[in-house]
Amino acid sequence: MSGVDTVRGIAYQQAQGVLEAIGLLDDPALGSVRVEGTDDAVDIELLTRDGTLHHAIQVKVRAPDYTWGEAALLAVLKRWAVLPDAAHASFEFLTDGRLGPSGRRVQQALEAAAEGRTGLLAELLGAGVDDPVYIALGKARIRQDPYNTSALLARAERQVAAMLPSARTEEDLREQATKAVDRLFRVLFDFASNPEPQLREMDRQLIAGLLGVPAEQSPAQRWAAIRERYLEAARSCIQQEVITPAVAGIQMRDPSILRQYASGGGQKLRVGELLGGSGPVVLAGRTGTGKSTAVQILRQQAAADGRIVITAHAESYLPGRLGALTADGLTAVLQEACPTATGTQALSDSTVTLVIDGAAEVAELTRRALQEELLAPVSAGHGARIVLVGRDMAALRAMLPSSVTPEIFRMVPLEHGRRVELAERATAAAGRSCTPHTARAVVAALDKMLGDAAGNPLLFSMAMALLDEQNVPRGRAGLYRAFIEQLAARSGATGMSAVRTALGIVYAHLLNGGRRYADVYEWHHMLSQATSALRSAGLPADVSTLDETARRCGLITSLGWDQTVVPMHDSFADYLAGAAHASGAEPFPPRLSAGDDQRMLLCAEMRGVDEAMAALVTRDLPFTAVALAGHDRRPLGLEAPHHVASLLCHLSAAQDQAVVMSRLKDGRALALRPPGTESAWVDEARAFELAQTCQAAVMDKEAGPLAVATRLWRQELLTRLRQPAALSPRRPSSGQTAVEALVGHTEQTALEVNQLIDLAAPPGHAAALKAQVGPLGLHAVIGRPEQDSLSVHTPVDYRHSDGIVIVETCDDPSFPPGESWGCTTLEHLLDSPPRSTAAQRVREAIEALTTSSWLNP
């Protein structure tokens, strides 16, 4: 390592050592920590009270331009595996760096070995499955913690503050915690330089004395002692002046909206619907659909029912420290610092539900670390129930073990009637009379302004806040800009042009890493870089002034003890980054990820679509290309057929992507995909001749190349998803039981869905479509046939799952349906042939990923 890297490595290792030393006080089984272990393969050792090695860690940093590969990782693991302590102690390779493809394989092999599947590890090691090395490496893992030293020490200060005796003020508490961590950091450094192993060991009494905290957790801070106080506090966390969101389950083909109207016309979530089962839950929804509001309401209503829901921000998660994240959730409600030990105890309580908000919006390394930490408890069904909330359903589902089937819910857009009700309330609150007719007129104007986004609670509320403006903006980008200007005017903030540009540059860089937040040190560094870019462009700017102005008008805020900087809402980060791209202040990244769809759409709304943007989005975010195409107004030039064909290569799985185009007499363009031809312009007569042999699409005069490509892709999808005319028998065939009929229908439907996904998904994006389709199995309870006035029908309670478990009521009374199950009839389930059912599910999934009703014939 170079000199700078050496210093960075030492600082990072010491910060991790501080965290481990503090964490030792939270674990009653541990007695001491040793820095610089007895073997060079180990940097930190955690020992039990009798001096036995419990857990060993090697800490390594990696420069951003480099990754960890198989050879380097296996060398460390093999060295650990032959040590005497490897037979009973666990081991961790901890790094701030990235894993290359081969390094990721090693990580996956260790995860599999921990579950008893040693085949992949045997292949990597080239050793027999009975080799003792597997005993050691079955307890080894690779943990990535990308946070810098400052962020790690800030987390240490928060943990120490939770254990310190009460201070007079929060400022005193912060000062005491900072000084305590500084003392521990210095002493730990001194211990690390001692050549005698026994003198490099710090016991819990010494650690506690340095920090000025009790060596054992106070009984008053234990989960059992604060449980009831937390419930009482959570009951009082009432959400004021919010648009109550709605959710629906996707496990049922005809999902019912899970909401009810309370007395007085209010609307609320039914907690029993979202938490009715026993396994993990996924709640997905696009930005601004009310996910965070939903989980806050869920926490309060659950507490009213005597049930404990702890909500936590994924932005505050540090890899390997889920207990600390849980303690943050407790602290936010109790308004008193809770130590990590309390959070860990709450996690072991099976009556607790932990909701992690923004789980899909954190960096990939953080998601993987959270996935690894959730693997064992969720697979075993032990401890708190986990609810993951975020934008990307595929990312959320991937964070849970494949062996479990989560309950999956989605956010429901605001219906027209609900929007009218909200407009009435807003107008009345402003002191103006509002008749139902007036409210409907207001909503009609807002719907025209917002278009497809009218059902988005955040955007709708922003639009209502601008109703008194003389020039109501049109479109989402204009709405964000006008809303920010309103915030600035109300707060008296000035210089907003520089603030928007600087924040846009910062958020573009953060989004390139898959996040919208930064610790306070990284934030000021990135804002300083953005300020330098502004100065280079001739715009005077000052870091402190920009930060103060952004905070004054509410565009940014700080989260938690370590003051993580976050936007007022994550969609504002998307807008500001999109504006920076649109103005040319920041270039596009070389690759896009699932969370980049909104910044690209907002950028396109502001500046239109060019060739580079169209190619980037169709390659990395093909489903987003449908909405992006509405902003493509480029003229169709001589190279248009070739451009359209190149875009289709990313959208369509078809082999022949040649595109032929012709200009019609009325100025519109005719686009075709005839087989066996070259992409080119042809005359009208030739185009009509080719149209007899292939699909053709007539495009509007203003349609650009991306609009042509998505239109041709749509035609292909409609052909692939065309439902057959054949009917399926509504009842089991002769000699077939109801269970056999439904099992057969479900199995065939799953087979058809997978085949359609392979045909319909853009190259490399089948996983996203499959996640949106949802589980293909079925859990069902078939009841006894019932006679009504028209016919005999057989009731069925059901929900989709990864497996197929279908029973009759009389066969298995111990298999009752859960609260979130659907109710239908056997005849209804069997009425649609498997191919038709599969086509409908894939069609709905594609429309959910693109735009509503896009595939309507």
Side-chain angles (χ1 to χ4, degrees), residues 825-845:
T825 66
L826 179 66
E827 293 74 23
H828 176 72
L829 290 175
L830 298 179
D831 184 50
S832 177
R835 172 74 182 190
S836 297
T837 304
Q840 182 64 20
R841 291 192 65 178
V842 174
R843 178 194 298 267
E844 291 171 354

Side-chain angles (χ1 to χ4, degrees), residues 662-671 684 688 697-702:
S662 177
R663 184 69 68 180
L664 303 180
K665 291 184 175 65
D666 60 5
R668 294 182 297 168
L670 177 65
E684 188 173 328
F688 284 144
V698 178
M699 308 301 303
D700 295 335
K701 294 179 181 179
E702 296 182 351

Side-chain angles (χ1 to χ4, degrees), residues 60-81:
K60 293 290 186 184
V61 298
R62 200 71 161 176
D65 295 337
Y66 297 92
T67 61
W68 290 104
E70 176 184 321
L73 293 174
L74 287 181
V76 175
L77 293 169
K78 288 178 179 178
R79 184 166 182 175
W80 158 256

Side-chain angles (χ1 to χ4, degrees), residues 102 235 282 356 387 445 494 506 528 539 601 645 684 701 704 817 826 843:
S102 64
R235 291 188 190 103
V282 164
I356 304 177
V387 178
T494 58
V506 171
S528 177
L539 296 174
L601 289 172
E684 188 173 328
K701 294 179 181 179
L826 179 66
R843 178 194 298 267

